Amino acid sequence: MGMLCAVSFNRYGRLFYFDPGDLRPQVGDRVLVPTDDGPEVAECVWAAQWVTEETEGFPRLVAMAADNDLRRDELLRKRKAEAKVAAKRLIREHDLPMKVVAVDHVLDSAGGQGARTTIYFTAPHRVDFRSLVRDLGATLHCRVELRQLSARDSARVQGGIGSCGRDLCCATFLNDFEPVTIRMAKDQDLPLNPLRISGACGRLMCCLKYEHPLYQSFQATAPAVGARVSTPDGEGRVVGHSVPRDSVIVRMDADGSRCSCSRASVCGSRQAYEERHG
């Protein structure tokens, strides 16, 4: 048991959890957090509070941000904006099929190597950007790196709103991309329309994997569509499944009407138990 707080480097961006140590930041406070390139300023979006989970493995906040830290952060954001404008202009001049997604700038990289700008982009194929890098370096007066992102990584960096109306999972809490297959959509009886099952990145929605184990468990024990079953209201044939309700749709032999029955009331093991024990 320990204390945790959550910070974000961008508004509505991914949350990062830290051990506040002796600090007690409140919502809206600026704090210094450790990164590979040294301490950086972030905004506290979840005040420090006690949690039941073990907090020993979480990184610890460095300190509350001072005025000089805030001035440095403002300069950093200004350099990022300038680099993004310059990159877009030079990409147009070089007529390259690239789209700038994000820009990262380090005022003084580790090892005293000076300022460094990293430009993240998407492209439909591999791009020869050697001449672009030279022009960017001459324009920005620093070392420039270009990194191509996949469609999923691009959505994670840019963020956005999913079809559910919430922030994208990959941009908020999802750490790793797990494999998602069209089989998952079929098992959940979803329409195989790419517009209905694709996320903002154009790939299959990551959330298809969330409920898939539930559907697999249901299908392993529930009677298949077309199977004859006995229900509390009489004999019938299964014509559909309702996994969220843990029930099956049965068409009754008596009058052709349809009724929804719980999976437990029509599965063979439950019926055998009731016949045996009354």
Side-chain angles (χ1 to χ4, degrees):
M1 185 174 180
M3 296 192 76
L4 283 180
C5 65
V7 305
S8 177
F9 293 97
N10 300 297
R11 180 159 296 190
Y12 309 119
R14 179 186 295 273
L15 299 183
F16 297 88
Y17 296 90
F18 289 87
D19 180 354
D22 297 331
L23 305 175
R24 294 297 179 267
Q26 300 299 315
V27 174
D29 289 345
R30 300 298 185 91
V31 295
L32 289 180
V33 299
T35 69
D36 294 338
D37 296 309
E40 290 193 15
V41 177
E43 181 180 354
C44 179
V45 295
W46 178 33
Q49 58 182 274
W50 291 98
V51 296
T52 56
E53 292 80 6
E54 180 58 47
T55 61
E56 184 177 352
F58 286 88
R60 179 169 293 192
L61 294 181
V62 176
M64 302 297 289
D67 291 340
N68 60 326
D69 297 317
L70 297 179
R71 287 193 295 270
R72 184 177 182 275
D73 184 62
E74 186 63 29
L75 177 61
L76 190 64
R77 294 179 184 274
K78 181 180 178 180
R79 293 287 187 269
K80 289 181 181 180
E82 293 173 349
K84 191 171 187 178
V85 171
K88 290 183 176 180
R89 176 177 58 82
L90 289 173
I91 286 174
R92 288 195 300 268
E93 293 179 1
H94 285 264
D95 195 24
L96 294 174
M98 301 166 57
K99 178 183 177 182
V100 177
V101 175
V103 175
D104 190 18
H105 184 76
V106 178
L107 295 175
D108 188 10
S109 59
Q113 298 178 1
R116 182 185 76 248
T117 297
T118 304
I119 297 174
Y120 300 91
F121 71 94
T122 57
H125 49 74
R126 292 184 62 88
V127 179
D128 183 1
F129 49 71
R130 287 174 292 183
S131 59
L132 174 64
V133 171
R134 287 194 297 268
D135 290 348
L136 280 170
T139 302
L140 300 176
H141 306 291
C142 65
R143 186 159 60 93
V144 176
E145 296 179 4
L146 268 70
R147 297 183 183 179
Q148 185 170 355
L149 299 180
S150 65
R152 289 190 185 276
D153 286 326
S154 175
R156 167 188 283 180
V157 171
Q158 294 183 92
I161 304 298
S163 58
C164 59
R166 300 177 65 89
D167 293 327
L168 297 181
C169 298
C170 59
T172 51
F173 67 88
L174 200 61
N175 293 322
D176 298 315
F177 292 122
E178 297 184 7
V180 183
T181 65
I182 196 67
R183 178 82 257 173
M184 297 179 182
K186 293 180 179 179
D187 291 345
Q188 298 176 45
D189 294 326
L190 295 174
L192 301 183
N193 182 347
L195 297 178
R196 298 286 299 276
I197 59 176
S198 297
C201 60
R203 304 293 191 268
L204 291 174
M205 294 188 295
C206 293
C207 57
L208 290 176
K209 191 172 181 64
Y210 298 165
E211 297 180 0
H212 190 241
L214 176 64
Y215 281 79
Q216 287 181 311
S217 175
F218 181 92
Q219 293 170 358
T221 56
V225 174
R228 294 195 58 80
V229 295
S230 295
T231 74
D233 298 326
E235 300 289 326
R237 187 181 300 275
V238 177
V239 294
H241 292 156
S242 179
V243 180
R245 294 187 176 91
D246 195 27
S247 63
V248 296
I249 310 301
V250 180
R251 184 173 61 219
M252 307 304 298
D253 292 340
D255 55 3
S257 63
R258 298 190 179 193
C259 67
S260 176
C261 303
S262 66
R263 175 168 54 99
S265 67
V266 297
C267 67
S269 59
R270 175 63 178 270
Q271 292 179 0
Y273 176 85
E274 291 181 348
E275 290 175 359
R276 184 174 180 177
H277 300 279

